[in-house]
Amino acid sequence: MNINLLISPQELTSLLAVKSPRTVIIDTRSPEEYAIGHIPQAINIRDFFTYLLDNSYPAGFKQLQEYFAKIMSEVGISGKEHLIVYEDAFNRGYGQSCRAAFLLKYLGCPHVSVLHGGYRAWLAAELPTTNEVPEVESSIFRLHPQAEMMVTTIEMLQAINNPAIIKLDVRDRDEWQGISSSPYGVDFCPRKGRIPNAVWLEWYRLMTSDSGIPMFRPAAEILEICQSLGITSESVVYIYCFKGSRAANVLFALQQAGIHAKNYFGSWNEWSRDFSLPIDNKIIA
């Protein structure tokens, strides 16, 4: 099965018309938003956005794997299906659909797509919505963790003084500047700042709203922006944000431009809480 990472509303419509049990649509929005209206046949799994990795060590990853294997089994997903995830809009959900896609790929699902433009693109195309919740039968989800997709805390620590590895901070400006500790509040985390020797690329820059719907920029534009930071297709890139969500968004944008990257999924939420880990806490004007 040849699956593209990004899928358009029109392509998804064609899949829905076939009504294949091999296609599963996952809505990552809040249960309240889902209840108001969603794409037909979609199931709601908010946990893909809300789950926080306990730690980027074997025990933390094992806990994450078991947590989602249980959820996937309960909603009848085996992992072999074509899984299509969406959020409201790429610039409003802190990359939640990409976080879901990243986690699904990490858990071992080979056929994963993101609805390009999200629910807003679906609505703009005047496609049908529903508030009906599809019935599901439990299944057995088979874990095949792809450990190489994740950057561990130890790996990030070892990379700090290695100029061959680009530490890419993609958080919002106030977080990068050291003014706020997170999107959830200025003092949500105990420390503000950056991972030492990181470079900054605010995640919004790799998207455009020329069509009125936020979408990834063309590959050539993404590559040009990255090259201005010294990032090329030959680079080794470790991306972080607050909890691996905006990092997943950027990771997939880079992937469209032929740049390979890995996600430090624990990101600032984990790093800032471990006082043994170094930070650069100078406030940037």
Side-chain angles (χ1 to χ4, degrees):
M1 188 186 299
N2 184 22
I3 298 296
N4 292 325
L5 174 65
L6 299 177
I7 187 171
S8 70
Q10 293 72 24
E11 290 169 328
L12 179 52
T13 299
S14 298
L15 289 176
L16 283 172
V18 176
K19 296 183 179 180
S20 169
R22 302 281 295 175
T23 300
V24 177
I25 306 169
I26 299 173
D27 185 316
T28 64
R29 299 174 302 154
S30 70
E32 293 77 16
E33 291 173 301
Y34 174 79
I36 293 171
H38 51 264
I39 294 174
Q41 301 178 31
I43 58 175
N44 183 229
I45 307 180
R46 180 61 169 170
D47 303 67
F48 279 122
F49 180 62
T50 58
Y51 184 88
L52 287 175
L53 182 66
D54 187 55
N55 62 76
S56 297
Y57 295 88
F61 290 130
K62 185 174 186 294
Q63 183 177 346
L64 179 151
Q65 293 162 17
E66 293 175 348
Y67 182 89
F68 282 103
K70 181 175 183 294
I71 289 177
M72 301 287 271
S73 295
E74 289 173 348
V75 298
I77 297 175
S78 70
K80 296 180 180 179
E81 302 87 351
H82 181 189
L83 304 173
I84 301 161
V85 296
Y86 73 91
E87 59 188 294
D88 181 57
F90 272 9
N91 66 339
R92 297 187 69 246
Y94 286 96
Q96 63 188 244
S97 61
C98 291
R99 190 182 203 254
F102 176 83
L103 280 172
L104 289 167
K105 285 177 172 288
Y106 165 74
L107 295 169
C109 303
H111 313 304
V112 182
S113 297
V114 175
L115 178 61
H116 202 191
Y119 193 59
R120 294 294 181 94
W122 183 267
L123 294 176
E126 300 182 343
L127 294 169
T129 63
T130 184
N131 58 10
E132 295 182 4
V133 178
E135 295 183 5
V136 297
E137 295 183 3
S138 62
S139 179
I140 298 177
F141 180 77
R142 303 293 185 184
L143 278 166
H144 299 284
Q146 307 298 303
E148 71 281 357
M149 293 178 61
M150 294 280 196
V151 175
T152 67
T153 299
I154 292 175
E155 288 173 329
M156 183 61 91
L157 183 61
Q158 292 173 338
I160 284 178
N161 293 316
N162 183 352
I165 299 177
I166 295 173
K167 284 69 66 177
L168 186 61
D169 185 321
V170 301
R171 296 175 297 165
D172 289 11
R173 179 179 293 275
D174 59 350
E175 295 168 80
W176 164 256
Q177 290 176 317
I179 297 171
S180 178
S181 70
S182 82
Y184 299 101
V186 171
D187 297 312
F188 185 84
C189 292
R191 297 192 291 172
K192 306 179 186 74
R194 300 153 295 282
I195 292 177
N197 298 323
V199 296
W200 182 53
L201 173 61
E202 193 171 26
W203 68 297
Y204 299 110
R205 287 187 62 193
L206 300 185
M207 295 180 284
T208 177
S209 298
D210 289 347
S211 64
I213 305 294
M215 294 185 176
F216 288 136
R217 292 182 180 276
E221 292 183 17
I222 293 172
L223 190 59
E224 183 178 0
I225 292 171
C226 288
Q227 287 174 339
S228 71
L229 297 171
I231 300 173
T232 71
S233 59
E234 304 300 319
S235 298
V236 177
V237 184
Y238 290 178
I239 311 176
Y240 77 94
C241 57
F242 174 70
K243 61 177 185 179
S245 191
R246 288 168 288 181
N249 180 284
V250 170
L251 184 148
F252 288 142
L254 264 57
Q255 182 176 312
Q256 300 307 300
I259 300 171
H260 176 72
K262 297 175 66 174
N263 190 342
Y264 174 42
F265 198 72
S267 285
W268 192 250
N269 182 62
E270 176 181 1
W271 192 274
S272 66
R273 298 181 190 279
D274 185 342
F275 283 76
S276 71
L277 298 172
I279 65 169
D280 176 1
N281 60 4
K282 179 181 178 182
I283 295 179
I284 299 175

